[in-house]
Amino acid sequence: MISNQVLQNTVEGLKEISRTEFSVLDTEGKVLASTFPDNVVNQADVQAFVQSPAESQLIKGIQYFKVSDDHQLEYILIVSGDDDNTYMIGKLAVFQIQNLIVAYKERFDKDSFIKNLLLDNLLLVDIYNRAKKLHIDSDVRRVVMILDTQQEKDHNSMEAVKNLMGTKSKDFITAVDEKSIIIVKQLEEDEGYDEIGKTAQTIFDNLGLDKQEDTHIAYGTIVKELKEVSRSYKEARMALDVGKIFFSERDVIAYSSLGIGRLIYQLPIPLCKMFIKEIFENKSPDDFDEETLTTIDKFFENSLNVSETSRQLYIHRNTLVYRLDKLQKSTGLDLRVFEDAITFKIALMVVRYMKYMETLEY
């Protein structure tokens, strides 16, 4: 469970403190980490020690120790020297490695628990029982963030997020697929959505993701109980998907800011096609020229204000009125009338949603 690199760092640190050589082996005698300048392992000696009932043994001037976890032999530790001081140093090293095993096992168990919690793979009674065993608070405020990296197995980003959030924080950083990093953030009582948004932007900026296309970070709503974390995760996942369709220009996307896009995203495609056919008959917004589309976008952007729209487009007011009249004749919708404007806006969003869903099919 512990990587060889971690074991190597551990024995090198122990050597620096004690000025003693160490070697860690698996139960078959294979060297996993060592500070010895030469290979001092004798396979026959290792196997004999593994089979013996002794927890430590002096063999040919080298001290051997067994490192166990829950009475299960995990490693063999070899320490240079044959005096009482060597024995004491070896026992301290065994204690250190055993603590590493426990820490890594707890970390793995917590990560597995959080993944199953996010994916709704746990019964309600299991959530609280396992949380208690893993010393995870049940009744605290949390929110789920999803960082979409668009890069498969981006371990560097995962480690960068962990370092950014702090090793002593009560947040959980994990992943359930190849292209996203999930942050289950614990909140203080005075932290709200403004602080969450700032944290999300800080993560995005510090990782340099603003230089990558199609990369976003989304978050769900705040939940107060552990059992509700999966809901915040689903909201963050929806925010990420809906954001790609309707708010691709945003780096940070909040579930609470999705507006009508959230409703459109849940519509079945056949119903969308029926709606578009009713509004545009045999036409489609794709048939509009660039000038018309720019005019429509700017008109909506300025809350249907003719004067402001014409000013920003650098055209005469009458020119804008002419374009709107032309659009009304071709679609039957007058964008100066609020109800028609809403219908047209929704129709444009539905078309964008349908296009996005088509790309997923290929």
PDB file of all heavy atoms in Angstrom, residues 27-57:
ATOM      1  N   THR A  27       8.162  -9.822   1.979  1.00  0.00           N
ATOM      2  CA  THR A  27       8.265 -11.115   2.667  1.00  0.00           C
ATOM      3  C   THR A  27       8.965 -12.189   1.839  1.00  0.00           C
ATOM      4  O   THR A  27       9.286 -13.260   2.355  1.00  0.00           O
ATOM      5  CB  THR A  27       6.861 -11.610   3.058  1.00  0.00           C
ATOM      6  OG1 THR A  27       6.034 -11.648   1.887  1.00  0.00           O
ATOM      7  CG2 THR A  27       6.231 -10.690   4.089  1.00  0.00           C
ATOM      8  N   GLU A  28       9.212 -11.895   0.558  1.00  0.00           N
ATOM      9  CA  GLU A  28       9.936 -12.836  -0.306  1.00  0.00           C
ATOM     10  C   GLU A  28      11.407 -12.483  -0.433  1.00  0.00           C
ATOM     11  O   GLU A  28      12.160 -13.155  -1.132  1.00  0.00           O
ATOM     12  CB  GLU A  28       9.286 -12.877  -1.694  1.00  0.00           C
ATOM     13  CG  GLU A  28       7.859 -13.422  -1.673  1.00  0.00           C
ATOM     14  CD  GLU A  28       7.241 -13.418  -3.054  1.00  0.00           C
ATOM     15  OE1 GLU A  28       7.899 -12.900  -3.999  1.00  0.00           O
ATOM     16  OE2 GLU A  28       6.117 -13.913  -3.188  1.00  0.00           O
ATOM     17  N   GLY A  29      11.806 -11.383   0.242  1.00  0.00           N
ATOM     18  CA  GLY A  29      13.210 -11.004   0.232  1.00  0.00           C
ATOM     19  C   GLY A  29      13.587  -9.973  -0.807  1.00  0.00           C
ATOM     20  O   GLY A  29      14.770  -9.641  -0.953  1.00  0.00           O
ATOM     21  N   LYS A  30      12.632  -9.434  -1.538  1.00  0.00           N
ATOM     22  CA  LYS A  30      12.923  -8.418  -2.548  1.00  0.00           C
ATOM     23  C   LYS A  30      13.120  -7.060  -1.867  1.00  0.00           C
ATOM     24  O   LYS A  30      12.313  -6.644  -1.041  1.00  0.00           O
ATOM     25  CB  LYS A  30      11.776  -8.326  -3.553  1.00  0.00           C
ATOM     26  CG  LYS A  30      12.001  -7.273  -4.615  1.00  0.00           C
ATOM     27  CD  LYS A  30      10.782  -7.170  -5.542  1.00  0.00           C
ATOM     28  CE  LYS A  30      10.962  -6.059  -6.559  1.00  0.00           C
ATOM     29  NZ  LYS A  30       9.759  -5.916  -7.434  1.00  0.00           N
ATOM     30  N   VAL A  31      14.201  -6.377  -2.217  1.00  0.00           N
ATOM     31  CA  VAL A  31      14.504  -5.084  -1.620  1.00  0.00           C
ATOM     32  C   VAL A  31      13.570  -4.022  -2.194  1.00  0.00           C
ATOM     33  O   VAL A  31      13.496  -3.831  -3.408  1.00  0.00           O
ATOM     34  CB  VAL A  31      15.974  -4.689  -1.878  1.00  0.00           C
ATOM     35  CG1 VAL A  31      16.249  -3.296  -1.303  1.00  0.00           C
ATOM     36  CG2 VAL A  31      16.924  -5.700  -1.256  1.00  0.00           C
ATOM     37  N   LEU A  32      12.863  -3.321  -1.307  1.00  0.00           N
ATOM     38  CA  LEU A  32      11.935  -2.259  -1.716  1.00  0.00           C
ATOM     39  C   LEU A  32      12.539  -0.872  -1.549  1.00  0.00           C
ATOM     40  O   LEU A  32      12.276   0.031  -2.339  1.00  0.00           O
ATOM     41  CB  LEU A  32      10.643  -2.352  -0.902  1.00  0.00           C
ATOM     42  CG  LEU A  32       9.899  -3.694  -0.953  1.00  0.00           C
ATOM     43  CD1 LEU A  32       8.681  -3.656  -0.038  1.00  0.00           C
ATOM     44  CD2 LEU A  32       9.482  -4.024  -2.375  1.00  0.00           C
ATOM     45  N   ALA A  33      13.367  -0.722  -0.511  1.00  0.00           N
ATOM     46  CA  ALA A  33      14.033   0.557  -0.243  1.00  0.00           C
ATOM     47  C   ALA A  33      15.279   0.260   0.581  1.00  0.00           C
ATOM     48  O   ALA A  33      15.266  -0.626   1.441  1.00  0.00           O
ATOM     49  CB  ALA A  33      13.108   1.506   0.507  1.00  0.00           C
ATOM     50  N   SER A  34      16.370   0.996   0.313  1.00  0.00           N
ATOM     51  CA  SER A  34      17.605   0.694   1.029  1.00  0.00           C
ATOM     52  C   SER A  34      18.559   1.879   1.014  1.00  0.00           C
ATOM     53  O   SER A  34      18.555   2.683   0.068  1.00  0.00           O
ATOM     54  CB  SER A  34      18.296  -0.519   0.398  1.00  0.00           C
ATOM     55  OG  SER A  34      19.494  -0.831   1.080  1.00  0.00           O
ATOM     56  N   THR A  35      19.370   1.985   2.087  1.00  0.00           N
ATOM     57  CA  THR A  35      20.456   2.965   2.134  1.00  0.00           C
ATOM     58  C   THR A  35      21.807   2.272   2.140  1.00  0.00           C
ATOM     59  O   THR A  35      22.842   2.933   2.135  1.00  0.00           O
ATOM     60  CB  THR A  35      20.328   3.851   3.392  1.00  0.00           C
ATOM     61  OG1 THR A  35      20.495   3.041   4.561  1.00  0.00           O
ATOM     62  CG2 THR A  35      18.977   4.556   3.442  1.00  0.00           C
ATOM     63  N   PHE A  36      21.805   0.941   2.159  1.00  0.00           N
ATOM     64  CA  PHE A  36      23.069   0.197   2.125  1.00  0.00           C
ATOM     65  C   PHE A  36      23.774   0.451   0.786  1.00  0.00           C
ATOM     66  O   PHE A  36      23.133   0.433  -0.283  1.00  0.00           O
ATOM     67  CB  PHE A  36      22.814  -1.312   2.273  1.00  0.00           C
ATOM     68  CG  PHE A  36      22.562  -1.746   3.687  1.00  0.00           C
ATOM     69  CD1 PHE A  36      21.262  -1.812   4.182  1.00  0.00           C
ATOM     70  CD2 PHE A  36      23.618  -2.086   4.519  1.00  0.00           C
ATOM     71  CE1 PHE A  36      21.023  -2.214   5.484  1.00  0.00           C
ATOM     72  CE2 PHE A  36      23.379  -2.502   5.826  1.00  0.00           C
ATOM     73  CZ  PHE A  36      22.086  -2.557   6.315  1.00  0.00           C
ATOM     74  N   PRO A  37      25.089   0.692   0.810  1.00  0.00           N
ATOM     75  CA  PRO A  37      25.811   0.917  -0.450  1.00  0.00           C
ATOM     76  C   PRO A  37      25.854  -0.335  -1.335  1.00  0.00           C
ATOM     77  O   PRO A  37      25.914  -0.244  -2.552  1.00  0.00           O
ATOM     78  CB  PRO A  37      27.218   1.309   0.011  1.00  0.00           C
ATOM     79  CG  PRO A  37      27.327   0.783   1.406  1.00  0.00           C
ATOM     80  CD  PRO A  37      25.959   0.822   1.980  1.00  0.00           C
ATOM     81  N   ASP A  38      25.819  -1.506  -0.723  1.00  0.00           N
ATOM     82  CA  ASP A  38      25.839  -2.768  -1.471  1.00  0.00           C
ATOM     83  C   ASP A  38      24.667  -3.641  -1.027  1.00  0.00           C
ATOM     84  O   ASP A  38      24.053  -3.418   0.020  1.00  0.00           O
ATOM     85  CB  ASP A  38      27.154  -3.530  -1.235  1.00  0.00           C
ATOM     86  CG  ASP A  38      28.373  -2.707  -1.655  1.00  0.00           C
ATOM     87  OD1 ASP A  38      28.361  -2.203  -2.799  1.00  0.00           O
ATOM     88  OD2 ASP A  38      29.294  -2.548  -0.831  1.00  0.00           O
ATOM     89  N   ASN A  39      24.386  -4.643  -1.833  1.00  0.00           N
ATOM     90  CA  ASN A  39      23.326  -5.591  -1.490  1.00  0.00           C
ATOM     91  C   ASN A  39      23.812  -6.545  -0.408  1.00  0.00           C
ATOM     92  O   ASN A  39      24.717  -7.355  -0.634  1.00  0.00           O
ATOM     93  CB  ASN A  39      22.909  -6.370  -2.740  1.00  0.00           C
ATOM     94  CG  ASN A  39      21.711  -7.271  -2.458  1.00  0.00           C
ATOM     95  OD1 ASN A  39      21.059  -7.136  -1.430  1.00  0.00           O
ATOM     96  ND2 ASN A  39      21.434  -8.171  -3.375  1.00  0.00           N
ATOM     97  N   VAL A  40      23.236  -6.443   0.771  1.00  0.00           N
ATOM     98  CA  VAL A  40      23.672  -7.283   1.890  1.00  0.00           C
ATOM     99  C   VAL A  40      22.656  -8.373   2.196  1.00  0.00           C
ATOM    100  O   VAL A  40      22.783  -9.086   3.186  1.00  0.00           O
ATOM    101  CB  VAL A  40      23.897  -6.424   3.161  1.00  0.00           C
ATOM    102  CG1 VAL A  40      25.006  -5.415   2.935  1.00  0.00           C
ATOM    103  CG2 VAL A  40      22.604  -5.722   3.564  1.00  0.00           C
ATOM    104  N   VAL A  41      21.650  -8.496   1.332  1.00  0.00           N
ATOM    105  CA  VAL A  41      20.555  -9.424   1.598  1.00  0.00           C
ATOM    106  C   VAL A  41      20.952 -10.842   1.194  1.00  0.00           C
ATOM    107  O   VAL A  41      21.414 -11.088   0.080  1.00  0.00           O
ATOM    108  CB  VAL A  41      19.286  -9.004   0.835  1.00  0.00           C
ATOM    109  CG1 VAL A  41      18.180 -10.022   1.062  1.00  0.00           C
ATOM    110  CG2 VAL A  41      18.841  -7.619   1.270  1.00  0.00           C
ATOM    111  N   ASN A  42      20.754 -11.748   2.119  1.00  0.00           N
ATOM    112  CA  ASN A  42      20.923 -13.179   1.838  1.00  0.00           C
ATOM    113  C   ASN A  42      19.529 -13.801   1.860  1.00  0.00           C
ATOM    114  O   ASN A  42      18.865 -13.824   2.894  1.00  0.00           O
ATOM    115  CB  ASN A  42      21.826 -13.827   2.901  1.00  0.00           C
ATOM    116  CG  ASN A  42      22.100 -15.287   2.602  1.00  0.00           C
ATOM    117  OD1 ASN A  42      21.182 -16.101   2.535  1.00  0.00           O
ATOM    118  ND2 ASN A  42      23.374 -15.622   2.439  1.00  0.00           N
ATOM    119  N   GLN A  43      19.080 -14.270   0.685  1.00  0.00           N
ATOM    120  CA  GLN A  43      17.711 -14.765   0.563  1.00  0.00           C
ATOM    121  C   GLN A  43      17.403 -15.880   1.557  1.00  0.00           C
ATOM    122  O   GLN A  43      16.306 -15.939   2.120  1.00  0.00           O
ATOM    123  CB  GLN A  43      17.479 -15.267  -0.872  1.00  0.00           C
ATOM    124  CG  GLN A  43      17.515 -14.175  -1.928  1.00  0.00           C
ATOM    125  CD  GLN A  43      16.299 -13.261  -1.833  1.00  0.00           C
ATOM    126  OE1 GLN A  43      15.253 -13.631  -1.330  1.00  0.00           O
ATOM    127  NE2 GLN A  43      16.467 -12.034  -2.310  1.00  0.00           N
ATOM    128  N   ALA A  44      18.378 -16.772   1.776  1.00  0.00           N
ATOM    129  CA  ALA A  44      18.164 -17.896   2.702  1.00  0.00           C
ATOM    130  C   ALA A  44      17.948 -17.386   4.120  1.00  0.00           C
ATOM    131  O   ALA A  44      17.079 -17.889   4.860  1.00  0.00           O
ATOM    132  CB  ALA A  44      19.351 -18.858   2.647  1.00  0.00           C
ATOM    133  N   ASP A  45      18.723 -16.353   4.516  1.00  0.00           N
ATOM    134  CA  ASP A  45      18.584 -15.778   5.854  1.00  0.00           C
ATOM    135  C   ASP A  45      17.218 -15.105   6.023  1.00  0.00           C
ATOM    136  O   ASP A  45      16.575 -15.225   7.068  1.00  0.00           O
ATOM    137  CB  ASP A  45      19.689 -14.755   6.114  1.00  0.00           C
ATOM    138  CG  ASP A  45      21.059 -15.405   6.215  1.00  0.00           C
ATOM    139  OD1 ASP A  45      21.121 -16.626   6.454  1.00  0.00           O
ATOM    140  OD2 ASP A  45      22.074 -14.690   6.041  1.00  0.00           O
ATOM    141  N   VAL A  46      16.792 -14.408   4.966  1.00  0.00           N
ATOM    142  CA  VAL A  46      15.488 -13.721   5.018  1.00  0.00           C
ATOM    143  C   VAL A  46      14.361 -14.734   5.162  1.00  0.00           C
ATOM    144  O   VAL A  46      13.468 -14.579   6.006  1.00  0.00           O
ATOM    145  CB  VAL A  46      15.268 -12.857   3.757  1.00  0.00           C
ATOM    146  CG1 VAL A  46      13.846 -12.282   3.750  1.00  0.00           C
ATOM    147  CG2 VAL A  46      16.283 -11.724   3.699  1.00  0.00           C
ATOM    148  N   GLN A  47      14.381 -15.783   4.355  1.00  0.00           N
ATOM    149  CA  GLN A  47      13.325 -16.795   4.407  1.00  0.00           C
ATOM    150  C   GLN A  47      13.305 -17.518   5.747  1.00  0.00           C
ATOM    151  O   GLN A  47      12.238 -17.827   6.284  1.00  0.00           O
ATOM    152  CB  GLN A  47      13.500 -17.802   3.260  1.00  0.00           C
ATOM    153  CG  GLN A  47      13.219 -17.212   1.881  1.00  0.00           C
ATOM    154  CD  GLN A  47      11.818 -16.627   1.788  1.00  0.00           C
ATOM    155  OE1 GLN A  47      10.844 -17.214   2.250  1.00  0.00           O
ATOM    156  NE2 GLN A  47      11.703 -15.440   1.193  1.00  0.00           N
ATOM    157  N   ALA A  48      14.473 -17.757   6.288  1.00  0.00           N
ATOM    158  CA  ALA A  48      14.550 -18.424   7.593  1.00  0.00           C
ATOM    159  C   ALA A  48      13.954 -17.531   8.685  1.00  0.00           C
ATOM    160  O   ALA A  48      13.224 -18.007   9.571  1.00  0.00           O
ATOM    161  CB  ALA A  48      16.003 -18.760   7.915  1.00  0.00           C
ATOM    162  N   PHE A  49      14.225 -16.225   8.595  1.00  0.00           N
ATOM    163  CA  PHE A  49      13.688 -15.288   9.578  1.00  0.00           C
ATOM    164  C   PHE A  49      12.174 -15.161   9.443  1.00  0.00           C
ATOM    165  O   PHE A  49      11.447 -15.094  10.425  1.00  0.00           O
ATOM    166  CB  PHE A  49      14.366 -13.924   9.414  1.00  0.00           C
ATOM    167  CG  PHE A  49      13.835 -12.870  10.338  1.00  0.00           C
ATOM    168  CD1 PHE A  49      13.913 -13.017  11.722  1.00  0.00           C
ATOM    169  CD2 PHE A  49      13.240 -11.719   9.832  1.00  0.00           C
ATOM    170  CE1 PHE A  49      13.407 -12.044  12.579  1.00  0.00           C
ATOM    171  CE2 PHE A  49      12.737 -10.740  10.668  1.00  0.00           C
ATOM    172  CZ  PHE A  49      12.823 -10.903  12.053  1.00  0.00           C
ATOM    173  N   VAL A  50      11.675 -15.127   8.186  1.00  0.00           N
ATOM    174  CA  VAL A  50      10.234 -15.035   7.946  1.00  0.00           C
ATOM    175  C   VAL A  50       9.510 -16.221   8.564  1.00  0.00           C
ATOM    176  O   VAL A  50       8.429 -16.085   9.148  1.00  0.00           O
ATOM    177  CB  VAL A  50       9.940 -14.957   6.427  1.00  0.00           C
ATOM    178  CG1 VAL A  50       8.446 -15.147   6.164  1.00  0.00           C
ATOM    179  CG2 VAL A  50      10.404 -13.622   5.866  1.00  0.00           C
ATOM    180  N   GLN A  51      10.111 -17.416   8.447  1.00  0.00           N
ATOM    181  CA  GLN A  51       9.482 -18.629   8.966  1.00  0.00           C
ATOM    182  C   GLN A  51       9.599 -18.773  10.481  1.00  0.00           C
ATOM    183  O   GLN A  51       8.831 -19.503  11.110  1.00  0.00           O
ATOM    184  CB  GLN A  51      10.109 -19.869   8.298  1.00  0.00           C
ATOM    185  CG  GLN A  51       9.913 -19.927   6.786  1.00  0.00           C
ATOM    186  CD  GLN A  51       8.454 -19.968   6.400  1.00  0.00           C
ATOM    187  OE1 GLN A  51       7.640 -20.593   7.077  1.00  0.00           O
ATOM    188  NE2 GLN A  51       8.113 -19.292   5.294  1.00  0.00           N
ATOM    189  N   SER A  52      10.557 -18.068  11.073  1.00  0.00           N
ATOM    190  CA  SER A  52      10.762 -18.185  12.525  1.00  0.00           C
ATOM    191  C   SER A  52       9.711 -17.410  13.293  1.00  0.00           C
ATOM    192  O   SER A  52       9.139 -16.451  12.773  1.00  0.00           O
ATOM    193  CB  SER A  52      12.154 -17.663  12.893  1.00  0.00           C
ATOM    194  OG  SER A  52      12.177 -16.247  12.814  1.00  0.00           O
ATOM    195  N   PRO A  53       9.428 -17.772  14.547  1.00  0.00           N
ATOM    196  CA  PRO A  53       8.441 -17.046  15.368  1.00  0.00           C
ATOM    197  C   PRO A  53       8.991 -15.755  15.958  1.00  0.00           C
ATOM    198  O   PRO A  53       8.241 -14.957  16.524  1.00  0.00           O
ATOM    199  CB  PRO A  53       8.113 -18.055  16.478  1.00  0.00           C
ATOM    200  CG  PRO A  53       9.355 -18.884  16.607  1.00  0.00           C
ATOM    201  CD  PRO A  53       9.941 -18.988  15.226  1.00  0.00           C
ATOM    202  N   ALA A  54      10.290 -15.510  15.819  1.00  0.00           N
ATOM    203  CA  ALA A  54      10.928 -14.336  16.432  1.00  0.00           C
ATOM    204  C   ALA A  54      10.499 -13.048  15.742  1.00  0.00           C
ATOM    205  O   ALA A  54      10.328 -13.019  14.523  1.00  0.00           O
ATOM    206  CB  ALA A  54      12.443 -14.479  16.373  1.00  0.00           C
ATOM    207  N   GLU A  55      10.329 -11.981  16.527  1.00  0.00           N
ATOM    208  CA  GLU A  55       9.996 -10.664  15.977  1.00  0.00           C
ATOM    209  C   GLU A  55      11.246  -9.913  15.531  1.00  0.00           C
ATOM    210  O   GLU A  55      11.188  -9.019  14.694  1.00  0.00           O
ATOM    211  CB  GLU A  55       9.247  -9.820  17.013  1.00  0.00           C
ATOM    212  CG  GLU A  55       7.829 -10.299  17.287  1.00  0.00           C
ATOM    213  CD  GLU A  55       6.952 -10.215  16.038  1.00  0.00           C
ATOM    214  OE1 GLU A  55       6.948  -9.169  15.365  1.00  0.00           O
ATOM    215  OE2 GLU A  55       6.279 -11.221  15.744  1.00  0.00           O
ATOM    216  N   SER A  56      12.395 -10.274  16.106  1.00  0.00           N
ATOM    217  CA  SER A  56      13.673  -9.678  15.713  1.00  0.00           C
ATOM    218  C   SER A  56      14.760 -10.728  15.909  1.00  0.00           C
ATOM    219  O   SER A  56      14.625 -11.634  16.732  1.00  0.00           O
ATOM    220  CB  SER A  56      13.984  -8.423  16.535  1.00  0.00           C
ATOM    221  OG  SER A  56      14.130  -8.753  17.911  1.00  0.00           O
ATOM    222  N   GLN A  57      15.835 -10.578  15.137  1.00  0.00           N
ATOM    223  CA  GLN A  57      16.886 -11.592  15.209  1.00  0.00           C
ATOM    224  C   GLN A  57      18.185 -11.021  14.650  1.00  0.00           C
ATOM    225  O   GLN A  57      18.184 -10.282  13.657  1.00  0.00           O
ATOM    226  CB  GLN A  57      16.468 -12.824  14.404  1.00  0.00           C
ATOM    227  CG  GLN A  57      17.360 -14.041  14.619  1.00  0.00           C
ATOM    228  CD  GLN A  57      16.796 -15.277  13.924  1.00  0.00           C
ATOM    229  OE1 GLN A  57      15.683 -15.247  13.399  1.00  0.00           O
ATOM    230  NE2 GLN A  57      17.548 -16.361  13.926  1.00  0.00           N
TER     231      GLN A  57
END
